[in-house]
Amino acid sequence: MRNGALPRELDLRGLAAREASISGVATLATLERLVSAGVGLVEPASAAFAFRRDEEGRYVVEAHVKAEVVLECQRCLGEMTQLLETRTVMACVWNDDDAAALPPSYEPLIVQETANLSDIVEEELLLAIPASPMHAGDCVTEAQRAALGVGAERIESEGRKESPFAVLAKLKS
């Protein structure tokens, strides 16, 4: 078991053969695609990995990733924080044909000789981000309330307009 920064280049097959476990943190400095997607971190993302071989001899990686991220609310366009937590069971494969042959209980993890655990953490977080993040409650800002209030006062001052269907009511009688 290891704590601290996640190691960069690891032989996942060797770890699975030894049934090793690794845990650590990933910072924004190591998660470049997350930054380019406009996502921030409140604190470094934590991750725990357990490596093993299954009964069929596949190299299996169980990943648990947890991070509190900073996103843009799609309703008010303000910043919001959201806790993301994933648990995934992946099988190491070397090409798309191997990935297609996996049972549905495994996610494919295409690897070469070595793998970067921060890349796995980043991929898990990107997949966990909601398509349209929004605050849980009412998130209308004071500026938006003021703009909506001015519009409502203007409509009330104009009075009620006659319904366009009122003409039809007159024709009917």
Side-chain angles (χ1 to χ4, degrees):
M1 177 78 80
R2 174 190 164 121
N3 279 320
L6 290 170
R8 295 201 51 82
E9 298 296 321
L10 290 173
D11 175 20
L12 300 184
R13 292 177 291 186
L15 292 169
R18 290 178 291 174
E19 294 188 0
S21 295
I22 295 176
S23 62
V25 296
T27 63
L28 273 180
T30 61
L31 307 174
E32 297 170 2
R33 289 184 358 197
L34 205 62
V35 172
S36 66
V39 178
L41 289 175
V42 174
E43 56 187 37
S46 64
F49 294 91
F51 305 91
R52 63 178 171 82
R53 295 204 53 183
D54 70 0
E55 33 312 314
E56 304 265 333
R58 294 182 197 94
Y59 299 100
V60 176
V61 178
E62 294 181 35
H64 176 220
V65 178
K66 186 176 182 179
E68 190 169 7
V69 296
V70 180
L71 303 168
E72 180 180 64
C73 174
Q74 297 300 299
R75 188 180 302 138
C76 70
L77 302 178
E79 281 190 355
M80 62 175 278
T81 59
Q82 183 163 353
L83 180 65
L84 302 178
E85 189 168 2
T86 67
R87 291 185 187 276
T88 309
V89 180
M90 300 170 273
C92 297
V93 294
W94 288 265
N95 56 47
D96 289 334
D97 293 333
D98 293 339
L102 284 176
S105 60
Y106 292 125
E107 292 292 325
L109 176 61
I110 298 178
V111 296
Q112 303 302 320
E113 292 299 316
T114 61
N116 184 343
L117 295 182
S118 292
D119 290 345
I120 297 171
V121 169
E122 184 172 48
E123 190 70 28
E124 289 297 308
L125 290 175
L126 286 169
L127 290 171
I129 294 171
S132 296
M134 290 186 271
H135 288 103
D138 185 23
C139 61
V140 178
T141 64
E142 289 304 317
Q144 291 169 333
R145 286 186 208 285
L148 290 172
V150 169
E153 291 171 9
R154 191 183 78 230
I155 291 171
E156 287 177 16
S157 67
E158 290 178 0
R160 293 195 69 94
K161 293 186 178 181
E162 189 174 321
S163 168
F165 299 105
V167 174
L168 293 175
K170 291 178 186 175
L171 291 174
K172 187 176 177 183
S173 55

